[in-house]
């Protein structure tokens, strides 16, 4: 059996967990196994009940009052105890901050290895995964040798591209259950999910680290992660003051300003605007990269952009091999000219 | 309070990555080395906590002798002590890495140093395993918070904030504790020249790198690959401000301008 840890809020399973479920379903087809899911909190049962179309056969809700809030070690304890009691051979989590944290605890508590941010399982025996390193700019083929395999699924794993695998009916050494061979998964996945409750045995130590309260975070303007247009500025912008024209262009396009790490390290702009491996991942329709060279750690953050337009003085800058369009020139002249042209086209002068 | 911060030496790759012929590593023949931005912030956080609350700050790395460079960088930024767990340069998996850190902490205790706070990066820049801090915390039975973007110590309690949706998750954990941080928690200072000179002369404490008892370990690297990239050729819209009409025409065509 494959056990998938899902994150949900108010009964809705989030996107990264759906990706993990799709990955799990594909793996279940490969191994001739079933997909089960575990969720936490007051609306866990409702969330699990809705997972039939995702191929989930069995759901377990862990909703003891002490676990209503997020408590990583305790969520892991519950997951580990459940996996042992149901005989799961593979435990999957989403490749989110929480998913990676919970799965790291599961693996540490059970004394197992863990592979984070996997894109695919390449072979079941030996168990070989392809996983992301360097924020996804390098891939690692890695073996996971253990009685129970713990892994997380990269948020951007190409699960839509995974061909559906017909159940082989052959129990596999790696994750199938002999008793379940050939019996599932139901190809349509429309069967109702059998949802039950699981009550873990927690120690005081499991609950030391938990969310005591949540407070709002001050945010200004359009959130970078969801912006349709991002105007990016790098070292080439030159100073904090020189961001004015980029802000103006972003405002004209209803977009947000994004920056490179050089810019945040210099203190020109806040880290909330940093795009990249250690910043935010963006997926806009258009990313205008101004004075940004295109280091791989920046590129992994903007690889989701539909179109990249680079403005750079250097026709050899690496960003040009990632961009669809480019203007060769000084951004200090080009950016204001683009804003002026937009105003002209709109007839505003 | 005594703070330990763990950093990992990694190559500073630029616009592209080249793998070695056997696919086992990144070709680092021409590379400079650094640590993850998350870890730079962990170093800064340790320096600030000790500046504010007294005690001592220590940086630790598991890596080749050359990783002394990263230890000195951290000392130039204000860390007082440095520990090297020397390896032959081959990659250690996160299970063995965590075991080695735990074993070094035992050696520190024997030398009379107990830590109130163990600081880490949220994930290593290269392997991105997302687990060493959690494994260290589990082995030592300490509370652990990962991905922290704001940290405050009050008495024996660490208040740690983690971004969650459009809010903050607020954790309060008793010390000693393990905390991993993300870039953005602070703005690291630029090391001063006197700081660099001081760091050059400091002693490096060396303990054996101990991978711990044999047991399940991994993930075991088979080989590295580079992701397949879409081949695209860039269309040059023009040079200088004269290209503005072409840019705007394109934005209109792409439907982001109305
Ligand atoms: C582990 C790790 C994680 C990292 N994470 C991130 C991250 O999340 N995000 C990130 O951005 N970086 C990250 N980095 C840093 C990254 O490697 C690069 O150092 C950084 O992205 C470079 O920023 P830049 O392009 O602004 O500067 P540079 O590389 O210096 O490039 C400046 C560019 O501006 C051009 N230019 C100069 N003047 C002008 C002008 N007047 N008009 C037009 N063009 C001009 C130049 O031709 C050049 O191409 C990380 C590094 C490491 C090691
Ligand atoms: N070789 C190492 N030496 C010291 N600290 C390390 C090492 N590897 C990982 N760490 C620490 O553990 C954090 C998380 O690493 P990882 O779990 O490998 O992604 C890093 O940011 C470091 O703080």
């Amino acid at each position: 059996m494959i056990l998938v840890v899902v994150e949900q809020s108010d009964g809705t399973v989030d996107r990264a967990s759906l990706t993990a479920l799709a990955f799990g379903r594909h793996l279940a087809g490969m191994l001739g196994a079933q997909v089960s899911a575990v969720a936490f909190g007051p609306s866990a049962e409702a969330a699990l009940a809705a997972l039939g179309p995702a191929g989930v056969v069995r759901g377990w809700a862990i909703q003891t009052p002490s676990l209503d809030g997020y408590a990583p070690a305790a969520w892991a304890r519950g997951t580990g105890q459940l996996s042992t009691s149901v005989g799961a051979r593979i435990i999957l989590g989403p490749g989110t901050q929480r998913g990676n944290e919970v799965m790291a605890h599961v693996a540490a508590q059970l004394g197992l290895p863990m592979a984070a941010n996997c894109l695919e399982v390449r072979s079941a025996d030996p168990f070989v995964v392809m996983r992301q390193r360097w924020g996804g700019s390098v891939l690692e083929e890695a073996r996971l040798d253990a009685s129970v395999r713990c892994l997380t699924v990269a948020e951007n794993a190409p699960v839509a591209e995974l061909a559906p695998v017909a159940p082989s009916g052959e129990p596999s050494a790696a994750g199938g259950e002999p008793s379940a061979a050939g019996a599932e998964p139901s190809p349509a996945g429309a069967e109702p999910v059998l949802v039950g409750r699981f009550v873990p045995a927690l120690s005081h130590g499991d609950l030391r680290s938990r969310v005591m309260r949540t407070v709002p975070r001050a945010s200004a303007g359009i959130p970078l992660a969801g912006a349709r247009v991002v105007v990016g500025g790098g070292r080439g912008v030159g100073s904090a003051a020189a961001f004015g024209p980029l802000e103006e262009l972003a405002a004209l396009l209803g977009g947000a300003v994004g920056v490179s790490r050089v810019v945040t390290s210099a203190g020109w702009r806040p880290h909330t605007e940093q795009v990249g491996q250690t910043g935010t991942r963006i997926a806009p329709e258009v990313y205008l990269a101004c004075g940004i060279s295109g280091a791989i750690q920046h590129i992994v953050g903007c690889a989701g952009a539909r179109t990249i337009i680079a403005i750079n003085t250097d026709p050899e800058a690496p960003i040009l091999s990632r961009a669809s369009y480019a203007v060769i020139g000084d951004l200090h002249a080009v950016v204001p000219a683009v804003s002026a042209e937009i105003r002209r086209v709109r007839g505003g002068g | 309070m005594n703070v330990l911060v763990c950093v990992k030496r990694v190559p500073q790759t630029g616009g592209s990555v080249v793998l070695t012929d056997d696919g086992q590593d990144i070709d680092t023949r021409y590379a400079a080395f650094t640590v993850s931005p998350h870890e730079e912030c962990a170093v800064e956080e340790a320096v600030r906590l000790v500046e504010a609350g007294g005690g001592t700050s220590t940086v630790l790395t598991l890596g080749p002798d050359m990783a002394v460079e990263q230890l000195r960088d951290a000392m130039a930024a204000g860390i007082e002590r440095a520990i090297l767990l020397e390896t032959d340069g081959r990659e250690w998996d996160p299970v063995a890495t965590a075991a080695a850190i735990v074993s070094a902490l035992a050696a520190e205790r024997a030398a009379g140093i107990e830590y109130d706070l163990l600081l880490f990066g949220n994930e290593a820049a290269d392997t991105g395993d997302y687990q060493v801090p959690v494994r260290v915390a589990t082995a030592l039975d300490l509370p652990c918070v990962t991905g922290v973007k704001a940290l405050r110590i009050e008495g024996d309690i660490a208040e740690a904030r983690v971004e969650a949706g459009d809010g903050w998750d607020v954790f309060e954990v008793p010390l000693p504790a393990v905390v991993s941080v993300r870039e953005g928690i602070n703005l690291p200072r630029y090391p001063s020249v006197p700081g660099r000179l001081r760091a050059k002369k400091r002693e490096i404490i060396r303990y054996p790198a101990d991978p711990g008892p044999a047991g399940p370990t991994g993930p075991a690297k088979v080989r590295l690959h580079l992701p397949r990239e879409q081949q695209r050729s860039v269309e040059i819209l023009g040079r200088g401000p004269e290209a503005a009409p072409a840019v705007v025409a394109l934005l209109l065509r792409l439907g982001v301008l109305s």
Side-chain angles (χ1 to χ4, degrees), chain A residues 37 48-49 56-60 191-196:
Chain A
L48 291 165
V56 173
V57 176
R58 193 85 173 70
W60 280 278
E191 306 282 317
V193 184
L194 190 58
V195 179

Side-chain angles (χ1 to χ4, degrees), chain B residues 6-8 39 60-62 97 101 120-124 127-133:
Chain B
C6 294
V7 301
K8 182 180 189 184
E39 293 155 22
L60 175 150
T61 195
L62 170 92
T97 301
I101 293 171
F120 292 82
N122 187 57
E123 82 275 2
T127 53
D129 287 314
Y130 287 83
Q131 57 190 272
V132 168

Side-chain angles (χ1 to χ4, degrees), chain A residues 241-307:
Chain A
F243 269 89
L246 276 79
E247 285 185 327
E248 189 189 352
L249 179 56
L252 281 169
L253 293 167
V257 170
V259 302
S260 74
R261 177 161 187 253
V262 166
V263 170
T264 56
S265 296
W268 297 344
R269 305 289 295 188
H271 182 267
T272 46
E273 292 181 358
Q274 182 174 314
V275 171
Q277 182 177 337
T278 50
T280 300
R281 307 208 165 205
I282 60 171
E285 291 292 317
V286 174
Y287 181 46
L288 262 153
C290 312
I292 291 175
S293 64
I296 54 156
Q297 297 89 2
H298 186 81
I299 293 298
V300 292
C302 63
R306 188 181 287 267
T307 303

